[in-house]
Amino acid sequence: MYYYSPPPATASLINHCPHRGNERRQTSNHPSPHPSIYSNPYSITPSFSHFHLLMFSTLFHTLIQFSCTPNLSMALPATSLHKFSTLFTFLLHLSSFTSSQSFIGVNYGIVADNLPAPEATAKLLQSTAIEKVRMYGADPGMIRALANTGIGIVIGAANGDIPALASDPNFATQWVNSNVLAYPDSNIIVITVGNEVMTAVDQSLVPLCLPAMQNVQNALNAASLGGKIKVSTVHSMAVLGSSDPPSSAVFNSGFSDTMRSLLKFHSANGSPFMINPYPFFAYQSDTRPETLAFCLFQPNAGRVDSGNGIKYMNMFDAQVDAVRSALNAMGFKDVEIVVAETGWAYKGDPNEAGTSIENAKAYNGNLINHLRSKVGTPLMPGKSVDTYIFALYDENLKPGPGSERSFGLFKPDLSMTYDVGLSKNSQTPTTPTPTSPTPTTPTTPATPSPVQAAGWCVPKPGVSDAQLQSNLDYVCSQGLDCGPLQPGGACFEPNTVASHASYAMNLLYQTAGRNPWNCDFLQTATLTSNNPSYNGCIYPGGV
């Protein structure tokens, strides 16, 4: 298996997702996490300050003047033009980053007795880059607390409400009146009708889901909100009948007709297909070190899709692209995907592999950076899928294994469980690449001191070409500029794996923060004070 690499007895990267807590979801409307996939760790995300705005504005007006002045370009040396163009390109790229990212959301569960007041939670969210919050119901206190904040709100109709919503349009109208129209100052953007209905224990809800969604949509249309608020339902990854390789993914044939009807609804109304991918559970079914690295967005050899030759470098992208392939195969290329849940438990029972602060920090921090890079996935390049991280807080009353109560990014006292770079004051999370792939005994501290290392990052002597090629593939899949390594580029010659990998590994080290743990690459790299630059190939860095 290329993406999930389960043991021989397993069938695919999707079918190993445990269906846990469905009975509980009927009452709490709050799902247990299900397996999903990957993202990118090493993207620098500076804040777009007033200074940057002034510089961008000045440069823009200068460009306009430049373009409108005859023969002005002839008066400037080529080197000046190149520097001018480079600066403009940099500032244009910088302008795509803001203190908040509309594609980063969080799940807010309430199966707990120690949650902060809604007003405190609203202030916490405003101090972060989180722009959207998904609820499993329609908590009045939280909806009111988020009024006039601009934060997008996803509210949910419980599975238990589906029969009434499906059979009675008046009930749907009343539901919308009570949970949407009652909060005109709150930015409600999506209503989810049910949660993981297609794979729920109560299969009688499956044929009722679409009629319920249609009645809610009609109620919104009647209130002139049909174009503003979208209606969807949330699925587990188990709706896929196959997913390995991602290019071959299709929906489960057992409810293909129902799925086709749902997708027609999404296409007609411009609403998203919402899915819950969890690489965390994929790793628990295959605890090899290389699978952990694949799930955590850390350097790894990658896994090739035998159907189209694409090499996937993380589990998240592979799972999301599997969903994309299934949508495309059914003829719905226009339907957008939203990741309704994904996360990593920082604590669990002794038999729950991979539950640690280090791994949770690596997954969520690298996922956030992957989204910020806007690299996208191989099948959806150049854009970030809206992603809701599970979860804002722990839910101490949830039943099940210990991990179920250990997904929170923040504690009830509003302090961070671990830092993944969500604060508006932070630019990048200090997420180390563990020097040991063993999840339970990492050798890198959970919160390393920010010691800056001078010099450059280069391969250790004796590292195989296969490992160097893996490092090269990894770096250049992360949205970094590997252009100098292309034919005609300043660092193309000598055209060897060792030379190209050396430049790429240093590029990632310099970009990720120049901390010692950024120059590890599974113990194949080392720091040096000797400048490896040669001829016209300039390695960034130095003292």
Side-chain angles (χ1 to χ4, degrees), residues 438-453:
T438 304
T440 54
T441 56
T443 59
T444 301
T447 308
S449 57
V451 177
Q452 294 296 313

Side-chain angles (χ1 to χ4, degrees), residues 300-324:
N300 65 91
R303 300 180 182 185
V304 177
D305 185 318
S306 59
N308 56 21
I310 290 174
K311 177 182 280 191
Y312 284 90
M313 301 305 297
N314 63 69
M315 181 71 79
F316 180 85
D317 282 357
Q319 287 182 321
V320 173
D321 273 1
V323 176
R324 179 75 270 163

Side-chain angles (χ1 to χ4, degrees), residues 93-116:
H93 176 72
L94 193 62
S95 70
S96 68
F97 296 106
T98 61
S99 58
S100 298
Q101 285 84 33
S102 61
F103 40 77
I104 297 177
V106 70
N107 285 271
Y108 175 73
I110 58 173
V111 187
D113 61 4
N114 61 351
L115 297 178

Side-chain angles (χ1 to χ4, degrees), residues 235 251 259 263 271-275 323 327 335-338:
H235 304 280
F251 289 111
M259 184 62 73
L263 294 177
S271 55
F273 182 86
M274 303 181 74
I275 191 76
V323 176
L327 291 170
V335 174
E336 296 290 333
I337 295 171
V338 166

